Amino acid sequence: MIDLYYWTTPNGHKITLFLEESGLPYRIIPVNISKGEQFAPDFLRISPNNRMPAIVDHAPAGAGVPLSIFESGAILLYLAEKTGQFIAKEIHSRFDTLQWLFWQVAGLGPMAGQNHHFSNYAPEKIPYAIERYVKETARLYAVLNKRLEDRAFIAGEYSIADMACYPWIVLHERQQQNLDDFPHLKRWFLSIQTRPAVQRAYARASEINTTPTVTEEARKVLFGQDGKTVK
């Protein structure tokens, strides 16, 4: 059994996508980040960076005690290796998948996240910041669009690279991106959107977070942290 510490963010969706695709048994333990539940001592023992998702695998291969993992990219890689699914064993294909997984973790996620923040959540609209991150998001969309020009999925076969990227593209309108400008990306996006496991994963999300609006109190929790937060 996998315990998934989860909230309905793109990084959280990555893991429910994998778990629904793979059929691994799991239970969701909600971590409402708008209420500060990510700072609970029990959660920090699993995820010291006070971010979700995180998992605890109660039956790791070759280990007698449960294994906890934080960081969505590390979790996806662990689950792929645990199940032997969604990552190739052949070295060229394997590292094709890994380099695009790291591309998402280092680029698409952080840049789109800053796009969300300055466009939607910042207390004042800063034109330079908004333009900076909207343009960088567009550049990254174009990189992915070009990659998908001659293949169905990012690494050829459907993989953890696709699972990592897809939830960030779901929010394209919030990021001020038009998928019609990226036809290969749009085709890929629509093909993943129709997968039954993807639909199940997002159905779980809608059951867990029924009030996704970010309140002023939630803004203080989500965006008001500094070095003193870490204890």
Side-chain angles (χ1 to χ4, degrees):
M1 173 66 72
I2 302 286
D3 285 343
L4 170 59
Y5 293 80
Y6 165 89
W7 198 242
T8 55
T9 69
N11 287 333
H13 296 321
K14 295 177 192 178
I15 312 308
T16 51
L17 289 183
F18 187 100
L19 292 168
E20 289 294 337
E21 290 279 6
S22 67
L24 276 174
Y26 73 101
R27 65 168 180 159
I28 287 177
I29 301 173
V31 180
N32 190 330
I33 59 176
S34 294
K35 294 182 178 179
E37 293 176 0
Q38 67 272 35
F39 302 109
D42 286 348
F43 180 66
L44 289 174
R45 280 191 282 272
I46 298 167
S47 182
N49 194 39
N50 62 262
R51 296 289 188 272
M52 47 64 51
I55 65 167
V56 176
D57 184 353
H58 292 277
V65 297
L67 175 64
S68 64
I69 304 173
F70 70 100
E71 287 296 322
S72 60
I75 295 168
L76 284 175
L77 179 56
Y78 172 77
L79 293 174
E81 292 186 343
K82 175 182 175 70
T83 62
Q85 298 182 62
F86 306 113
I87 189 168
K89 291 183 172 61
E90 192 274 325
I91 188 168
H92 298 87
S93 298
R94 176 180 174 81
F95 278 90
D96 217 7
T97 300
L98 289 177
Q99 66 187 355
W100 285 96
L101 172 64
F102 294 159
W103 175 86
Q104 184 282 311
V105 171
L108 179 62
M111 295 300 103
Q114 293 299 321
N115 181 328
H116 297 171
H117 179 77
F118 285 106
S119 297
N120 299 283
Y121 301 126
E124 61 177 298
K125 298 297 183 182
I126 304 172
Y128 173 82
I130 293 170
E131 183 181 22
R132 161 81 175 96
Y133 288 111
V134 169
K135 282 185 173 180
E136 179 60 9
T137 303
R139 187 190 72 81
L140 292 164
Y141 273 48
V143 170
L144 190 52
N145 182 69
K146 185 175 181 179
R147 172 66 178 178
L148 290 163
E149 184 176 8
D150 60 352
R151 67 200 73 214
F153 299 107
I154 294 172
E157 300 294 328
Y158 187 60
S159 73
I160 55 176
D162 301 287
M163 296 178 197
C165 292
Y166 173 81
W168 287 97
I169 307 300
V170 169
L171 301 173
H172 58 273
E173 292 181 352
R174 185 184 297 183
Q175 298 160 13
Q176 302 180 51
Q177 305 300 318
N178 183 350
L179 291 189
D180 289 336
D181 295 334
F182 309 99
H184 308 300
L185 175 59
K186 182 177 182 179
R187 182 261 309 152
W188 166 87
F189 175 80
L190 293 175
S191 73
I192 294 177
Q193 188 178 58
T194 61
R195 294 177 71 92
V198 173
Q199 295 179 3
R200 291 195 302 270
Y202 277 85
R204 297 292 304 271
S206 65
E207 295 167 359
I208 290 167
N209 185 7
T210 58
T211 56
T213 301
V214 176
T215 64
E216 285 305 313
E217 191 61 32
R219 288 174 192 265
K220 296 176 184 177
V221 173
L222 293 170
F223 312 130
Q225 309 306 317
D226 59 21
K228 297 177 182 177
T229 303
V230 180
K231 299 178 181 179

